[in-house]
Amino acid sequence: MIQKPKGTYDVYGDYGKKILYLEDLLQVLMEKYNYEFVRTPIFEASELFHRGVGETSDIVTKETYDFIDRGERNMTLRPEGTAGVVRSFIENKMYGRAEQPVKTWYYGPMYRYERPQSGRFREFYQFGVEVFGTENPLMDAEVISIPVRFYQLLGLKNIKVNINSLGDSESRENYRKALVEYFKPYLNELCEDCKNRFYKNPLRILDCKVDAKNPIMENAPKMIDYLNDVSKKHFEDVQSYLKAMNIEFVVNPKIVRGLDYYTHTVFEVEASVEGFGSQNVLGAGGRYNNLVSSIGGPDTPGVGFALGLERLITALDFEKINIIEDNHIDVYVIPMSEQENNYCINLVDTIRMNGFSCDTDYLTRNLKSNFKQSERLGAKFIIIVGEVETNTNVLTVKDNSTKEEFKIDKGELVDFLDSRIEHE
Ligand code: HAM
């Protein structure tokens, strides 16, 4: 048997219902925040991710799905959404719009060649936002508020917001020097990857999973002590706006993030509940004031975040939050014999086109097993169609919960259903 690729999963049954529910909710939520939906290709020129996500990030050095297409172009399946949205922002000249800032949201599959484990897949779905055209810390706070409010709306209780600042270029350069000074004498004690990071991007040493428990890490200089006045003010303002929205957070200097593009605010929202597992970061993001220009666009600040749908569903299951309704359809139509098929298919079609969910028998069941099937489907009403009904156009409609029976003229069926069933 051919099996699904490692690190992927199929969606069906209740999981599918959960996904659809969450997708609907995201759309409603993003309308409230006045964000615009964008969709970019699942594959892009490899160079975009090298320039965008960063040459020193694990994602680009170890985890991309790269391929050469039939036209000899180097392509990569997107490992995250930001770089593609930035490319689209530039290519479609959104920076020239009268309405600024440009606030966008997206949803779709991402691909990373990671070691699969619980909460970590090779194909996973992200919902994210990217906002362009303002440095205002109000926007950082708004972006942080989106996953928090989304999780709260769903009823999640055990979430923790960690924030940190990586400052502007000047602050980070000072910090980089301090890190180099600090780590130089310990270089031989660090893992091979960190030795590389020491030369290319020493900040990323702090993010190393291998060296995480090494005491050298504990005493390393902290970014927060190297922020210049502008960066400090930005970070203080973000905190004050979060407080104004009553969003609880913790300033956590260990948050440096695994992508190279961040400046100023970075944040992670985690499931802070015992036993959740190691992949407990539900969503994460931050500000990236130099990314648009580094991909070839005009100097434009940006800020955004993304969250994983799979980890969210695990968190909901973990907190025993049920987001799906029991199975039910409005009407189940039973033909007494194949003679009534034409009549029934027309009836089913009419019922559906008037906004009710409706199903029928495709397996030529007898009446008893059709009743059973209507129970399985949770039908609110049953309509039995025999010779008399097709001749007179008077239908026998049974309310499955009260067991009451009604004789309804076919022409009045929709009004009858309207008066008894709520529908959209
Ligand atoms: P990220 O931290 O790499 O950030 O991913 C964001 C979220 O995607 C994670 O918190 C997690 O929920 C989910 N995720 C990441 N990798 C996997 C995986 N292998 N399996 C399952 N879920 C996963 C970014 O991707 C940035 N683009 C976020 C951002 C947007 N920053 C600014 N704008």
Side-chain angles (χ1 to χ4, degrees), residues 59 63 79-83 106 110 112 114 117 119-130 143 151 257-259 261-262 267-269 279-288 303-312:
I59 295 177
E63 296 170 3
E80 56 103 54
T82 311
Y106 55 91
M110 309 292 160
R112 294 185 194 174
E114 294 194 270
Q117 63 181 87
R120 198 156 77 186
F121 299 90
R122 290 185 172 172
E123 180 187 69
F124 58 97
Y125 276 69
Q126 276 188 349
F127 152 65
V129 311
E130 310 297 345
V143 166
Y151 296 141
R257 309 280 301 121
L259 304 108
Y261 47 61
Y262 294 110
F267 72 97
E268 291 184 353
V269 186
Q279 302 302 310
N280 67 342
V281 181
L282 299 180
R287 180 165 276 287
Y288 46 84
V303 56
F305 93 97
L307 64 83
L309 267 285
E310 298 79 6
R311 288 184 199 177
L312 168 59

Side-chain angles (χ1 to χ4, degrees), residues 19-21 105 193 215 254 265 357 367 405-406 417 420:
I19 293 279
L20 291 179
Y21 176 86
W105 74 279
D193 278 343
K254 288 199 181 126
T265 319
S357 53
L367 196 58
E405 262 188 29
F406 305 88
L417 294 175
R420 281 163 195 266

Side-chain angles (χ1 to χ4, degrees), residues 123-401:
E123 180 187 69
F124 58 97
Y125 276 69
Q126 276 188 349
F127 152 65
V129 311
E130 310 297 345
V131 177
F132 303 96
T134 177
E135 285 192 60
N136 195 329
L138 267 178
M139 197 47 86
D140 307 41
E142 175 172 306
V143 166
I144 296 171
S145 78
I146 293 173
V148 174
R149 294 301 183 226
F150 180 49
Y151 296 141
Q152 287 172 342
L153 210 59
L154 288 163
L156 282 183
K157 295 206 169 56
N158 301 301
I159 57 165
K160 183 174 158 199
V161 181
N162 292 292
I163 66 170
N164 190 20
S165 174
L166 304 182
D168 59 9
S169 310
E170 182 190 81
S171 310
R172 245 190 347 280
E173 184 48 30
N174 290 337
Y175 183 50
R176 201 188 65 81
K177 283 187 192 142
L179 282 179
V180 168
E181 279 304 304
Y182 175 79
F183 282 117
K184 205 187 264 167
Y186 301 116
L187 205 52
N188 282 334
E189 296 177 42
L190 297 175
C191 75
E192 280 311 304
D193 278 343
C194 279
K195 282 181 191 142
N196 258 329
R197 290 173 182 137
F198 177 83
Y199 296 104
K200 286 189 180 159
N201 186 355
L203 204 81
R204 303 252 323 124
I205 297 176
L206 303 172
D207 201 30
C208 177
K209 290 172 190 92
V210 180
D211 285 330
K213 295 210 168 67
N214 192 327
I216 305 167
M217 295 293 181
E218 275 304 312
N219 302 321
K222 297 194 170 36
M223 180 70 232
I224 213 128
D225 300 325
Y226 290 82
L227 295 180
N228 61 15
D229 288 348
V230 177
S231 304
K232 216 180 273 172
K233 170 88 171 70
H234 185 97
F235 194 38
E236 281 164 6
D237 286 349
V238 173
Q239 295 179 54
S240 127
Y241 295 138
L242 287 174
K243 283 182 190 149
M245 283 188 281
N246 299 316
I247 289 178
E248 285 178 30
F249 60 87
V250 177
V251 175
N252 181 345
K254 288 199 181 126
I255 306 285
V256 294
R257 309 280 301 121
L259 304 108
D260 290 350
Y261 47 61
Y262 294 110
T263 55
H264 291 285
T265 319
V266 284
F267 72 97
E268 291 184 353
V269 186
E270 61 178 45
S272 65
V273 49
E274 196 67 27
F276 187 81
S278 59
Q279 302 302 310
N280 67 342
V281 181
L282 299 180
R287 180 165 276 287
Y288 46 84
N289 286 350
N290 307 321
L291 183 57
V292 177
S293 56
S294 75
I295 293 181
D299 206 3
T300 312
V303 56
F305 93 97
L307 64 83
L309 267 285
E310 298 79 6
R311 288 184 199 177
L312 168 59
I313 290 176
T314 308
L316 291 168
D317 290 348
F318 206 83
E319 291 200 25
K320 302 203 165 37
I321 297 167
N322 184 24
I323 54 169
I324 54 172
E325 288 176 14
D326 287 341
N327 214 9
H328 71 75
I329 57 166
D330 295 324
V331 185
Y332 187 70
V333 175
I334 305 177
M336 291 297 286
S337 74
E338 286 180 32
Q339 302 295 318
E340 286 80 40
N341 276 354
N342 276 338
Y343 191 93
C344 281
I345 198 164
N346 172 276
L347 184 65
V348 168
D349 183 47
T350 308
I351 294 171
R352 287 173 178 163
M353 287 306 99
N354 280 283
F356 299 96
S357 53
C358 180
D359 213 340
T360 187
D361 177 31
Y362 308 92
L363 303 180
T364 11
R365 294 176 170 92
N366 64 27
L367 196 58
K368 194 170 157 212
S369 38
N370 260 322
F371 279 128
K372 266 212 186 115
Q373 174 72 353
S374 80
E375 295 282 338
R376 274 185 227 117
L377 298 178
K380 291 181 192 142
F381 288 89
I382 302 175
I383 303 178
I384 304 162
V385 180
E387 204 181 336
V388 180
E389 283 78 9
T390 55
N391 288 337
T392 59
N393 268 336
V394 177
L395 303 168
T396 308
V397 183
K398 188 169 161 193
D399 184 325
N400 232 357
S401 53

